[in-house]
Amino acid sequence: MKIPKKSLGFYNGRDGQKAFIAYKGKVYDVTELYKDGEHNSCIAGNDLTGVLEMMPHGDEVVSRYPVVGELE
Ligand code: HEM
């Protein structure tokens, strides 16, 4: 599934909506991790390319979550 960049913000994990993040062109479903669309002040519905690498756990964590599409 291709997910347009401008609609990624729709998946903000709020009001029962799923929480998606994008990373290096792929879109991941992180709903189980992001409570109310947030995980350690990191907001769902964003492209984290160039950001995730700087987090305490690095970027390998994304591989634990399902890929739901590609960022268009
Ligand atoms: C820029 C955004 C992010 C920030 C600021 C951030 C920050 C943190 C911090 C401070 C922790 C350690 C405290 C805790 O265990 O809750 C943590 C843990 C964790 N984060 Fe993130 N994170 C970010 C994005 C992500 C993303 C995108 C994923 C997965 C796709 C992720 C997956 C995890 C996991 C699985 C843990 C549990 C500890 C572990 O298994 O390494 N985080 N995060």
Side-chain angles (χ1 to χ4, degrees):
M1 174 168 85
K2 292 261 181 201
I3 299 171
K5 192 154 186 160
K6 65 179 186 314
S7 57
L8 184 61
F10 176 73
Y11 302 97
N12 60 14
R14 300 247 170 84
D15 310 316
Q17 185 51 256
K18 285 194 171 291
F20 291 172
I21 59 105
Y23 186 64
K24 294 188 176 172
K26 289 195 180 129
V27 178
Y28 297 84
D29 184 339
V30 290
T31 305
E32 68 172 61
L33 178 73
Y34 280 60
K35 303 304 171 214
D36 280 335
E38 220 178 296
H39 158 70
N40 293 303
S41 72
C42 187
I43 309 295
N46 288 302
D47 186 352
L48 298 179
T49 308
V51 177
L52 202 49
E53 300 91 327
M54 297 186 285
M55 293 307 127
H57 43 59
D59 61 1
E60 79 285 344
V61 285
V62 285
S63 59
R64 301 182 200 171
Y65 297 86
V67 173
V68 289
E70 283 161 32
L71 201 60
E72 197 169 46

